[in-house]
Amino acid sequence: MTDPFEDTLRRLREAFHSGCTRPAAFRAEQLQALGRFLQENKQLLHDALAQDLHKSAFDSDISELIICQNEINLALKNLQAWMKDTPASTNLFTKLDSAFVRKEPFGLVLIIAPWNYPINLTLVPLVGALAAGNCVVLKPSEISQGTEKVLAEVLPRYLDQSCFAVVLGGPEETGQLLKHKFDYIFFTGSPRVGKIVMTAAAKHLTPVTLELGGKNPCYVDDDCDPQIVANRVAWFRYFNAGQTCVAPDYLLCSPEMQERLLPALQSAITRFYGDDPQSSPNLGRIINQKQFQRLRALLGCGRMAIGGQSDECDRYIAPTVLVDVQETEPVMQEEIFGPILPIMNVQGMDEAIEFINRREKPLALYAFSNSSQVVNQMLERTSSGSFGGNDGFIYMTLPSLPLGGVGHSGMGRYHGKFTFDTFSHHRACLLCPAGLEELNNIRYPPYSHSMQELVRWALGSHSCTLL
């Protein structure tokens, strides 16, 4: 059986070895072309996202297209500075030498993207990979079919096809692709598939970034305005029909706060999506029947406090809140990835922290309280990829902050300069003058007692020249 990827990968690797991707001018051209792709195909991308996830044009802009354009603009503005060698401090032995860190491209990199934000989570890593001077194989998700088609058919027209390729297929083709050696793999998806990717990468000792998911806790303190909490939690939980890896996955609060929160959540849902959320232009749909059936089964957990309606033909699940949920139920055993919000009761902050810390480390953690001390305690005594105090994942709009998991929720980080750094090998360099050998005689044996003392002193930390 012929390998469908072999010729493409050979072509890209040859292009990288030719050095064509290394000049700043080439990288800038590719980034500018990527920007033109977004601008010139805006309607096409809106239509694809509406087809795949029922996203409104506004939702597509704020969660996908604008974020990608911002990343491109930031990379173009800072490319020269990011590429520049970073000087490093020296000691007495290397006083006349030049020490620096050079940011080099890894080579041929693979980006495997998910379906839930199929433009954002495909192109944001691509921006950093191109800015860092790599050749790129892009594998969009086959599940978001409309977007996959645009990325496969239109995007390659904008980028240099000797250095960039889109490959298609499902799990079987991806498995075949992963048998090849890459210089870096960037994967966004579930921990289950992340393990498969990492296993395949290990066979070639290929470094990876794994952007995975998890059950993101949201603690609500008794000292809160329930309506403010409800507004913020509802917006972030039900945005994109809950199909967001950093969305709050479940609430932890006292029974008393739960009683105050429920009417506030109902009020927020009605205000956002109307009396009939199914007809709201601002509420997305579940990506496919398989995910719809999985989510509908979770509606049987606990007790329905809000929502619960579903329509299989429309892949619609209403914004839902579950109460009286047990930790052992399915809705607390897997990442929900849908418009369902379970509430679990705890007596206070200490119990909430204990509950969070005995589970896998989440991609995101949220804490709501009027007390900054409570928010800081939640931050200091827990671990998560990112943290939000009194707000949801609005930090995703800041390229100055990294996105990345910890433990079960992933490894590595990206966004803004962090993406450039992720796709760059930081090479330690020391350039020494060819002559002046008399100065180096101190290093060579045999060593007299006084020479040993001199070498020890010269290597001491006091001799370092800090920048």
Side-chain angles (χ1 to χ4, degrees):
M1 179 182 156
T2 56
D3 188 318
F5 306 116
E6 199 166 329
D7 289 345
T8 300
L9 300 185
R10 186 187 304 114
R11 171 171 55 82
L12 295 178
R13 202 171 279 288
E14 284 171 3
F16 178 74
H17 288 312
S18 77
C20 67
T21 64
R22 287 181 177 256
F26 177 84
R27 304 182 195 192
E29 280 169 18
Q30 299 305 294
L31 292 170
Q32 286 160 353
L34 192 56
R36 286 198 303 278
F37 164 75
L38 288 174
Q39 296 301 321
E40 293 171 11
N41 299 283
K42 193 172 183 180
Q43 190 58 55
L44 201 59
L45 292 167
H46 280 169
D47 293 346
L49 291 164
Q51 174 195 326
D52 290 336
L53 290 149
H54 197 264
K55 285 194 184 188
S56 68
F58 176 70
D59 280 356
S60 295
D61 282 343
I62 64 170
S63 66
E64 308 247 16
L65 306 189
I66 290 173
I67 286 175
C68 293
Q69 190 62 57
N70 287 347
E71 291 276 343
I72 293 166
N73 295 345
L74 185 75
L76 284 167
K77 183 181 174 187
N78 294 286
L79 188 58
Q80 298 281 359
W82 291 352
M83 288 176 65
K84 232 174 145 179
D85 293 341
T86 308
S89 57
T90 55
N91 57 22
L92 285 178
F93 269 130
T94 55
K95 189 59 62 199
L96 300 176
D97 303 344
S98 170
F100 57 92
V101 177
R102 173 154 294 177
K103 278 75 82 176
E104 295 186 337
F106 276 107
L108 179 56
V109 305
L110 170 63
I111 297 172
I112 305 175
W115 51 261
N116 57 322
Y117 289 89
I119 300 297
N120 177 338
L121 300 181
T122 304
L123 298 192
V124 170
L126 178 61
V127 169
L130 294 174
N134 296 281
C135 286
V136 184
V137 173
L138 198 63
K139 166 64 183 73
S141 173
E142 75 284 2
I143 294 171
S144 44
Q145 295 172 358
T147 313
E148 180 196 42
K149 191 169 189 291
V150 178
L151 291 171
E153 294 178 5
V154 183
L155 180 56
R157 296 179 206 158
Y158 287 82
L159 299 176
D160 188 318
Q161 293 195 43
S162 67
C163 307
F164 170 80
V166 176
V167 299
L168 304 179
E172 191 179 332
E173 289 81 4
T174 305
Q176 184 74 25
L177 184 63
L178 285 167
K179 288 179 182 173
H180 291 272
K181 177 175 169 49
F182 290 92
D183 298 302
Y184 203 95
I185 297 175
F186 189 105
F187 169 79
T188 306
S190 69
R192 181 187 65 79
V193 182
K195 290 175 185 176
I196 295 169
V197 172
M198 195 170 179
T199 302
K203 289 179 179 155
H204 301 288
L205 291 179
T206 300
V208 295
T209 288
L210 302 178
E211 293 295 335
L212 310 178
K215 294 191 70 63
N216 305 319
C218 179
Y219 174 64
V220 183
D221 188 33
D222 281 347
D223 182 13
C224 270
D225 180 321
Q227 194 58 61
I228 290 174
V229 175
N231 294 343
R232 295 176 190 181
V233 168
W235 190 57
F236 287 109
R237 170 72 273 192
Y238 303 122
F239 190 86
N240 199 31
Q243 298 165 115
T244 307
C245 57
V246 286
D249 194 272
Y250 62 94
L251 289 189
L252 293 170
C253 67
S254 68
E256 295 76 27
M257 177 47 83
Q258 177 179 303
E259 289 309 303
R260 297 164 64 204
L261 263 180
L262 286 174
L265 282 165
Q266 179 65 78
S267 166
I269 290 166
T270 304
R271 200 164 77 256
F272 294 171
Y273 309 113
D275 292 323
D276 175 24
Q278 189 169 0
S279 62
S280 168
N282 299 307
L283 192 67
R285 293 296 183 268
I286 308 308
I287 185 72
N288 59 19
Q289 286 297 328
K290 181 185 172 187
Q291 293 297 327
F292 175 86
Q293 299 295 352
R294 180 186 65 81
L295 287 164
R296 189 157 67 175
L298 296 181
L299 294 172
C301 299
R303 175 172 64 82
M304 202 84 69
I306 298 170
Q309 300 83 3
S310 63
D311 181 346
E312 187 171 352
C313 296
D314 192 24
R315 302 196 315 272
Y316 165 77
I317 291 179
T320 297
V321 178
L322 303 175
V323 295
D324 302 336
V325 173
Q326 301 302 309
E327 190 182 353
T328 52
E329 290 185 276
V331 79
M332 288 303 294
Q333 297 302 308
E334 62 183 74
E335 185 179 1
I336 295 167
F337 229 62
I340 302 169
L341 181 66
I343 301 179
M344 289 199 62
N345 292 143
V346 290
Q347 290 310 310
M349 179 187 68
D350 290 335
E351 190 182 331
I353 290 170
E354 190 274 327
F355 182 88
I356 291 164
N357 286 344
R358 65 181 153 85
R359 300 168 73 86
E360 296 284 9
K361 291 180 180 180
L363 184 57
L365 193 155
Y366 305 98
F368 287 84
S369 178
N370 286 337
S371 163
S372 59
Q373 191 179 358
V374 169
V375 173
N376 285 327
Q377 283 283 300
M378 292 296 294
L379 175 57
E380 287 171 19
R381 292 168 59 189
T382 59
S383 177
S384 62
S386 50
F387 180 87
N390 288 312
D391 209 349
F393 53 80
I394 198 73
Y395 54 79
M396 293 286 282
T397 63
L398 299 175
S400 56
L401 286 176
L403 174 69
V406 59
H408 199 256
S409 57
M411 62 184 71
R413 55 190 185 158
Y414 77 118
H415 282 187
K417 185 175 183 290
F418 299 103
T419 323
F420 176 87
D421 288 338
T422 283
F423 283 107
S424 301
H425 166 57
H426 290 228
R427 188 180 189 182
C429 303
L430 184 74
L431 305 185
C432 178
L436 306 173
E437 184 62 2
E438 284 299 312
L439 291 174
N440 286 328
N441 282 336
I442 187 177
R443 303 188 302 192
Y444 307 140
Y447 305 110
S448 66
H449 177 72
S450 59
M451 199 63 81
Q452 289 179 32
E453 290 304 306
L454 184 59
V455 170
R456 287 187 179 112
W457 177 80
L459 286 175
S461 58
H462 56 84
S463 74
C464 278
T465 306
L466 298 176
L467 294 170

